[in-house]
Amino acid sequence: MTESELRAVRQVEQTPVMIGPIDGHDRTLLYGYDSDANTWHVYQANGELHRVIYIGSNPSPESHDNGPEMIPAALIPNKRLYPEACDFDFCLKLASLGVYLPFTTYGTLGDLSARGPFIGKTF
């Protein structure tokens, strides 16, 4: 590799890949938890992605980020995602970008059919 090729590789490494909402209807896209037992809820609403992190059962979020696009790695908790609470199309898009999705055992949350479009709390 030449020095200019090395610079080109480093430029690609530093360019973040972004992801946005995948279609028009509002819903939960990812739902899981991190190693500190904080709940992560990623959803789309009004054409934007939202990532809300809650500590335990506290109704106020610890953090909230939103925008038309976000860096995929920032949407994934460092522990587990509940597969039954995650959106298939969004997960497929993330997987096609090479994002690792740390799913737990399917069915842990039980039947979610009566919950509506959002599995977790929204901001």
Side-chain angles (χ1 to χ4, degrees), residues 11 19 24 26 37-38 41-42 51 55 83 94 108 114 117 120-122:
Q11 180 63 38
I19 190 167
D26 298 346
N38 299 321
H41 185 205
V42 176
R51 183 193 70 184
I55 295 177
L94 288 171
T108 304
K121 301 173 192 169
T122 58

Side-chain angles (χ1 to χ4, degrees), residues 31-105:
Y31 190 73
Y33 58 94
D34 63 23
S35 59
D36 294 323
N38 299 321
T39 299
W40 287 50
H41 185 205
V42 176
Y43 61 95
Q44 68 182 40
N46 302 316
E48 289 191 331
L49 291 179
H50 295 260
R51 183 193 70 184
V52 181
I53 301 172
Y54 293 92
I55 295 177
S57 61
N58 185 350
S60 300
E62 173 67 16
S63 74
H64 172 253
D65 299 302
N66 68 299
E69 292 186 317
M70 296 179 84
I71 297 171
L75 303 174
I76 311 297
N78 65 8
K79 190 69 174 170
R80 297 283 181 258
L81 291 167
Y82 297 104
E84 66 272 25
C86 295
D87 183 79
F88 171 73
D89 293 325
F90 193 72
C91 289
L92 203 56
K93 178 68 173 175
L94 288 171
S96 73
L97 294 172
V99 176
Y100 173 67
L101 300 168
F103 292 116
T104 189
T105 305

Side-chain angles (χ1 to χ4, degrees), residues 1-11 13:
M1 178 175 352
T2 67
E3 192 174 348
S4 65
E5 290 170 334
L6 176 60
R7 281 193 299 274
V9 168
R10 286 192 173 143
Q11 180 63 38
E13 289 175 342

